[in-house]
Amino acid sequence: MRYYILNIFFIIAGVAELVDARDSKSRGGDTLSVRVRLPVPKNNNKGSIMETADCIFCKIIAKKLPVEIVAENDEVVVIKDIAPKAPVHYLIIPKKHIADVSSVEQADIPIVGEMLLMAKKLAKGLSGSQAFRLIANNGPDAGQSVFHLHFHFLSGKKMLDF
Ligand code: 5GP
Ligand code: ZN
């Protein structure tokens, strides 16, 4: 009965869809079995949140992890890097889960454009020099460690070593 109540709760909450319910009392038993179907996230390719189970940035975007949001719009979130490599080190992250630059498709170009416009906006908010460096590591051999597209936005010091 406890499981039955739990399942009904999920169905009412809109989390699951009732597939089948059987009451064995009619057959002389005393159990009730319920089958429910959990929804599969859809990628509507509009930059909406499509969380992938183990993606730390998807969890941050879904506000499942506490993090200070520097800036946000419909397509993009900006956070401070947890291990800054410069006095200003932001991560510009699309809300849509795209693994890396190599996974960007034609339909994603508006999202990547929003990432660039966000960099421009962040620069305007800098105190002092508005110079900045944008970096996108693509693949483990290039140093990528989080496989959700992002630009590192670095500023606040001279970076003439490239
Ligand atoms: P990548 O190595 O993929 O180019 O960049 C990933 C960046 O994400 C790294 O600079 C790393 O410090 C940062 N990072 C990883 N996990 C977290 C986190 O949980 N919170 C924040 N704010 N940054 C993170
Ligand atoms: Zn993700």
Side-chain angles (χ1 to χ4, degrees):
M1 182 53 86
R2 220 177 330 144
Y3 296 116
Y4 174 65
I5 291 167
L6 196 63
N7 281 322
I8 292 298
F9 170 77
F10 282 133
I11 291 159
I12 290 169
V15 175
E17 177 191 342
L18 181 65
V19 173
D20 187 25
R22 286 167 208 268
D23 185 349
S24 70
K25 275 197 179 106
S26 55
R27 299 190 302 278
D30 60 356
T31 60
L32 181 72
S33 65
V34 177
R35 284 199 300 136
V36 296
R37 183 184 296 127
L38 291 168
V40 176
K42 290 190 181 107
N43 177 7
N44 61 14
N45 212 20
K46 288 182 183 163
S48 60
I49 296 168
M50 194 193 75
E51 186 180 349
T52 61
D54 297 322
C55 177
I56 187 119
F57 286 174
C58 279
K59 285 180 184 153
I60 286 173
I61 290 159
K63 313 266 184 343
K64 289 183 179 168
L65 294 175
V67 69
E68 185 192 336
I69 304 286
V70 174
E72 180 174 11
N73 64 26
D74 286 349
E75 311 289 352
V76 174
V77 163
V78 181
I79 62 171
K80 290 181 180 171
D81 196 292
I82 204 169
K85 306 285 188 303
V88 177
H89 186 170
Y90 299 143
L91 298 171
I92 303 174
I93 308 170
K95 288 186 176 177
K96 178 182 176 186
H97 180 90
I98 302 169
D100 52 23
V101 173
S102 294
S103 305
V104 171
E105 296 184 359
Q106 192 77 25
D108 299 322
I109 285 175
I111 296 173
V112 177
E114 283 295 333
M115 293 170 72
L116 290 172
L117 288 177
M118 182 58 86
K120 177 179 155 183
K121 190 175 163 195
L122 291 169
K124 286 192 176 141
L126 293 171
S127 57
S129 167
Q130 293 194 347
F132 64 88
R133 179 174 282 176
L134 273 189
I135 296 173
N137 296 323
N138 191 80
D141 288 348
Q144 186 177 6
S145 60
V146 177
F147 293 87
H148 180 132
L149 181 66
H150 52 281
F151 290 155
H152 295 263
F153 178 102
L154 299 156
S155 188
K157 69 171 186 179
K158 288 203 170 161
M159 294 170 283
L160 306 173
D161 54 333
F162 187 75

